[in-house]
Amino acid sequence: MSDEDVIIEHDPVDHPPVLTNSNTPFFWSAVNSVWKIVEGNGYFFIIGAVVAYFVYQKAVSYLEGKASNDVMSKLTPQQQMDRMEGMRRSRIRLQQDVDQASAVEAEKIREREERVRKEKIEDWERHVRGEGYKNKTKPAAAAASSSKSLKKDNYNPLMGSGTSGGSFKSSRPSRGGGGGGGVSPS
């Protein structure tokens, strides 16, 4: 048999030039994804880590300072009870002061209402006797003092700034003259 007589049947399959495993393990695919994220956003992670470190340091120092400066934690239980009892007595004393002040104010209000009620009764009795009602207008002396005007006699708000002697100066230029470009009257 010669070489020409042998026929080998095979199905030609296209093979890729580089063979890779398409079933990569989950761990390595996760590592690869994380690495790509860090590559793209590394500066943000670094800045975030620095900020987190400083915030942590501030929080630790604040909490340590607060724990060491707590006055009540340095006192014995008896001293703590004495201090709380003193605060309770202070609150009671302040509340009593407020109650007394409100009682005095309520008494003043009652007296004022009683006086107004009596004035109304007297006014009605005067009216029944024919003497007329109480004059509710201001006395003449009070009326004269309130009639004084704070404005000048020649004040007219519609006239602008020139008539009342005010010190207002307009920021607009005056309308007189100027370069109109027209024919001058001569």
Side-chain angles (χ1 to χ4, degrees):
M1 228 193 215
S2 73
D3 288 334
E4 297 172 356
D5 295 337
V6 177
I7 298 175
I8 301 175
E9 290 187 22
H10 69 295
D11 205 9
V13 177
D14 291 330
H15 292 288
V18 177
L19 296 176
T20 59
N21 185 0
S22 62
N23 297 329
T24 57
F26 173 75
F27 173 74
W28 291 114
S29 66
V31 168
N32 191 22
S33 298
V34 169
W35 183 254
K36 285 182 182 179
I37 292 172
V38 170
E39 271 184 351
N41 303 315
Y43 290 112
F44 295 119
F45 290 126
I46 291 172
I47 291 171
V50 169
V51 168
Y53 175 74
F54 281 116
V55 167
Y56 173 77
Q57 290 296 325
K58 290 286 185 183
V60 166
S61 65
Y62 172 75
L63 292 176
E64 286 175 354
K66 187 171 182 167
S68 66
N69 290 336
D70 191 13
V71 176
M72 292 297 274
S73 65
K74 295 179 181 178
L75 300 176
T76 65
Q78 183 60 39
Q79 290 172 331
Q80 291 177 0
M81 289 299 293
D82 292 343
R83 182 170 286 200
M84 288 193 296
E85 181 64 26
M87 290 189 324
R88 187 184 65 78
R89 283 191 303 262
S90 289
R91 287 188 189 111
I92 289 172
R93 187 174 359 100
L94 289 173
Q95 186 62 46
Q96 288 172 348
D97 292 346
V98 168
D99 291 343
Q100 287 176 352
S102 66
V104 168
E105 187 64 28
E107 183 62 31
K108 287 180 182 178
I109 290 172
R110 275 192 294 268
E111 289 173 359
R112 191 177 315 127
E113 289 173 351
E114 183 65 24
R115 186 176 16 129
V116 169
R117 188 180 69 80
K118 285 181 181 179
E119 286 176 1
K120 286 182 180 181
I121 291 172
E122 289 175 8
D123 192 28
W124 177 251
E125 289 174 353
R126 231 182 283 120
H127 174 66
V128 169
R129 288 189 307 249
E131 296 175 3
Y133 284 112
K134 178 180 175 184
N135 188 6
K136 303 221 189 242
T137 61
K138 293 181 181 178
S145 66
S146 66
S147 67
K148 290 182 182 179
S149 177
L150 298 176
K151 298 178 189 137
K152 295 182 179 180
D153 291 336
N154 64 350
Y155 176 74
N156 186 354
L158 300 176
M159 293 302 290
S161 65
T163 59
S164 66
S167 63
F168 175 74
K169 181 175 179 182
S170 175
S171 61
R172 299 178 125 191
S174 63
R175 295 190 58 130
V183 179
S184 64
S186 42

